[in-house]
Each structure stands twice: as structure tokens, then as C-alpha cells.
Amino acid sequence: MSRAFNFAAGPATLPEPVLRQAQEELMDWHGVGASIVELSHRGPEFMEVAAQAEADLRRLVSIPDDYAVLFLQGGATAQQALMALNFTSPGQRVDYVVTGHWGKTALKQVRPYCDVNVAADGEPGGFRDIPGRETWKLSPDAAYVHYTANETIHGVEFHDIPDVGEVPLFADFSSSIASEPLDVSRFGLIYGGAQKNLGPVGVAVVIVRRDLLERAGQPRAEILDYRAHLKGDSMLNTPPTWNWYLAGLVFKWMLAEGGVEEFARRNARKAGLLYDVIDHSGGFYRNDVAVAARSRMNIPFFLHDPSLDAAFLERAAQNGMISLKGHRVLGGMRASIYNAMPEAGVQALATFMRDFQQRNG
Ligand SMILES: *Cc1c(COP(=O)(O)O)cnc(C)c1O
């Protein structure tokens, strides 16, 4: 068996020790005689798995007690719609800061319910930078301000939490949660699908200030109601037990590796290595994002001659590096280097890129 270095953006690579443990426990979880996914979500075994996963995530991300944690279905996209239903009254104003594809998706989800104000928009600049905070046109009466902490496709990342005054700050952390220390207390709500940095696809995490949950939103069915989900321990209906369990193993692995401080150091080294190759390639490789807004997690890059793209991908795969093809929105290449991507994988890619340039430059 040989595992490739997998640079996929999501679903993405998982830590090898986690996959091995899941494999080991698949036929018989802790001597129960069945796998964890074959047991009732209301039984003591899964209840323990679920509670432990929440406790570990709270420790990993330093989530204060006055924040609730939900494990939900529907991915990040469903949360983008649910935040309008849960935290606005009909037609209320909401502010969106759009710095890439996912910011656009987020505002598309709330348009049917809210008066959307695009407070800042990076699209006229091709999503290559974050519009300066002083240019944002925020509404004093907005229910919340939403932004995307890391744009997974465009490779644009906030490296500071923006100051938006008293209005609650809502943020999509799908592709950067737990990649570095974060002051959760600055936010009203943080959400993310697990399939980038936290585990397998099929479960989304919502971290929300408890007092905001008490506010009345638009009328909603119980299954769309965050308050009901909290009351029901994220088990209003059958939860995605396999995904929740695997995410829990990933949380444990991250804690054992040294937590978010350690991953912040590794991620900075990993990203630095690739940007260095790109920036010192004399234009053979190119990344178009303003240096101060470059992502540590997703690095889109282009070859100066797109006719070399196919050969680049083929040779990379032959060398044990897969999923480097860029998103169809941008083309080119993209290396996604989340927590589970070892430094050895990024070193291998950097070496390969230099070598490919030498042969084809
Ligand atoms: C992947 C991604 C999404 C969409 O996630 P789904 O789980 O597919 O709904 C939203 N926002 C960001 C930043 C993402 O990376």
C-alpha cells in the first residue's frame, strides 16, 4: 500500500493515524461487537463519542463556556441560509464582506430572507486582495456582519479579525478553523464544514454565542432552529454518526500533536515553502494574491505556459502527489495544505516544482 500526498481542497486528506484507528475499530468498537456507526445515536456508546468530541473541540479551539457548539448536517452552505432564519427578522438588514467565491455563495443563501448590504466586494479586483477596512460600508442596524476567514478557491485569507463595532461578527471558517489560535470571544458565530480541516464531509460545526440564540429570528421549523438543536444535543434527528466520530478522532490527533499553536507554526512553514518556490521562479509559476492577503491553507498558482498544465499534473501524480488541479472557477493549480498535510508532503511538492521548472523552463 502506498498513500499519495493528497492536496485536495475538500474532501481533503485525513491524518494517517486517524484512518488507521478508524480501520482498527471498524469491525468492533471497544469490544461492543459492532462498529460505532451501527449503534444507536442515543445509546451510551455514541453519546460518549459525541460528548468527547465536543469537549475536545472546545479545548482545541479554546471555546469559552458562553458559546454553544452544534454538530449539524447540510454542510457549511446550509448554515449560510440558517443564520438568516435564526438571527434576523423578515427583511432585516445584514452586511456581507465578499472576498471570494464562498462569500458570494453565502450572500446568495440569505437574499430570499434579508435586505443584503454588500459592505465590501473584492470581485472588481478579481478577488486578489481584501478591501481595506476603511472602505467597508457597514450598516449600524445590521443583524450581523458576515465574512469568509479563508477563501478556499481564491486563496485569500484574513490574518486579523476585523473590527466591526457592536454588530455581531459571523464568519465562515470552513477551511481554516483550528489552523492557528483564534480569539473566539470576538465572534457572534463561527461555522465550517468539517471536510477541509476537521474531518470527513457530512458534518458541520457551528460555534455560537449563547445569548444570541435567545434572540427571536424568523419563523422556522424545529429542524431549522439552532435553539432546538442545542436543546436536543444536535440530535433532533439521526445525526451523521460516522462523520462525528471521525471528526472526534481528528480533534484528539490535533491535541496530541500539540494543538493549534503547533499547527500554526507548521502551517506557516508549509505555506512559506511553497510561496518561496513560486516567488523565486522568475515568473515560471505565479500566485496573483496580494502578499498580505495570501492564504496559508490553499495556494492557487499558475504555470506561465498553461500548455504545460497537463504534464505538470501527470508528473506530479507519478511522483506521488495528487489533486493539484485548480478549481474550475480559476483554472491553474491549487495546493491545499491543511493541518493533516505533513511538512514532508509540502517539501516533496516544492522539490518537484523546482525540478519541473528546470526541465521545462
Ligand atoms: C467548502 C466551503 C464551503 C461549502 O461547504 P459545504 O460543506 O460543501 O456546504 C463554504 N465555505 C468555505 C470557505 C468552504 O471552503
Side-chain angles (χ1 to χ4, degrees):
M1 189 206 69
S2 88
R3 272 176 65 76
F5 289 122
N6 174 11
F7 294 89
T13 194
L14 288 168
E16 208 171 297
V18 165
L19 294 175
R20 287 191 191 287
Q21 186 177 346
Q23 183 180 41
E24 205 168 285
E25 295 179 342
L26 190 59
M27 297 304 282
D28 178 8
W29 186 84
H30 296 200
V32 174
S35 72
I36 193 71
V37 263
E38 298 168 286
L39 298 171
S40 167
H41 56 292
R42 307 225 181 260
E45 297 87 2
F46 187 76
M47 292 293 272
E48 168 61 24
V49 166
Q52 190 61 50
E54 179 178 334
D56 287 339
L57 182 66
R58 282 185 177 278
R59 222 176 98 209
L60 182 68
V61 186
S62 301
I63 302 171
D65 288 342
D66 57 337
Y67 284 72
V69 177
L70 304 173
F71 290 84
L72 302 174
Q73 303 187 57
T77 309
Q79 315 319 316
Q80 291 175 339
L82 289 175
M83 61 186 61
L85 289 172
N86 280 272
F87 301 106
T88 70
S89 36
Q92 195 180 353
R93 178 152 272 233
V94 287
D95 284 354
Y96 276 72
V97 174
V98 181
T99 53
H101 174 87
W102 294 113
K104 277 171 74 172
T105 310
L107 66 87
K108 194 166 82 185
Q109 300 305 321
V110 303
R111 280 210 194 276
Y113 311 110
C114 300
D115 171 18
V116 178
N117 169 46
V118 179
D121 187 2
E123 190 156 26
F127 291 134
R128 290 171 178 180
D129 204 352
I130 294 170
R133 173 65 190 81
E134 70 287 352
T135 67
W136 298 9
K137 298 198 165 52
L138 297 175
S139 323
D141 56 341
Y144 60 79
V145 181
H146 179 281
Y147 79 104
T148 312
N150 179 62
E151 282 286 354
T152 317
I153 294 173
H154 288 90
V156 171
E157 184 176 15
F158 280 79
H159 296 295
D160 295 295
I161 302 169
D163 184 359
V164 297
E166 294 305 305
V167 176
L169 186 58
F170 285 17
D172 181 352
F173 268 88
S174 291
S175 51
S176 57
I177 187 164
S179 65
E180 64 181 346
L182 182 70
D183 182 0
V184 173
S185 73
R186 297 276 307 276
F187 295 89
L189 182 146
I190 290 169
Y191 68 99
Q195 71 270 29
K196 283 40 183 271
N197 210 28
L198 293 184
V201 66
V203 66
V205 167
V206 177
I207 302 164
V208 54
R209 229 172 67 206
R210 290 182 197 274
D211 66 313
L212 287 177
L213 277 179
E214 294 312 315
R215 278 196 210 160
Q218 318 210 13
R220 56 209 184 271
E222 188 188 43
I223 197 67
L224 306 179
D225 188 335
Y226 279 158
R227 221 177 334 177
H229 279 290
L230 177 63
K231 233 169 115 188
D233 293 327
S234 302
M235 295 188 195
L236 284 183
N237 63 336
T238 318
T241 53
W242 171 249
N243 319 69
W244 197 334
Y245 153 77
L246 265 185
L249 296 186
V250 175
F251 303 158
K252 278 215 180 306
W253 174 78
M254 289 183 189
L255 287 167
E257 290 289 302
V260 291
E261 286 83 6
E262 173 61 17
F263 282 106
R265 288 190 286 271
R266 291 185 196 174
N267 291 332
R269 287 197 296 265
K270 280 157 34 185
L273 209 55
L274 289 189
Y275 285 120
D276 195 53
V277 171
I278 294 165
D279 292 343
H280 290 95
S281 69
F284 186 85
Y285 300 109
R286 201 179 82 238
N287 167 282
D288 293 332
V289 178
V291 170
R294 281 174 163 181
S295 170
R296 299 160 306 123
M297 300 275 100
N298 310 95
I299 303 182
F301 60 93
F302 303 89
L303 276 65
H304 75 105
D305 175 3
S307 75
L308 290 171
D309 284 6
F312 181 92
L313 291 168
E314 194 186 315
R315 288 273 310 285
Q318 285 163 358
N319 284 276
M321 286 163 275
I322 62 170
S323 312
L324 283 160
K325 193 173 165 53
H327 190 279
R328 60 195 145 74
V329 165
L330 271 189
M333 307 294 153
R334 173 174 49 169
S336 295
I337 51 173
Y338 304 116
N339 287 4
M341 170 57 65
E343 293 193 73
V346 177
Q347 283 156 3
L349 177 58
T351 303
F352 168 75
M353 286 172 69
R354 284 201 200 91
D355 181 65
F356 186 84
Q357 177 177 359
Q358 222 155 52
R359 288 164 193 254
N360 298 280

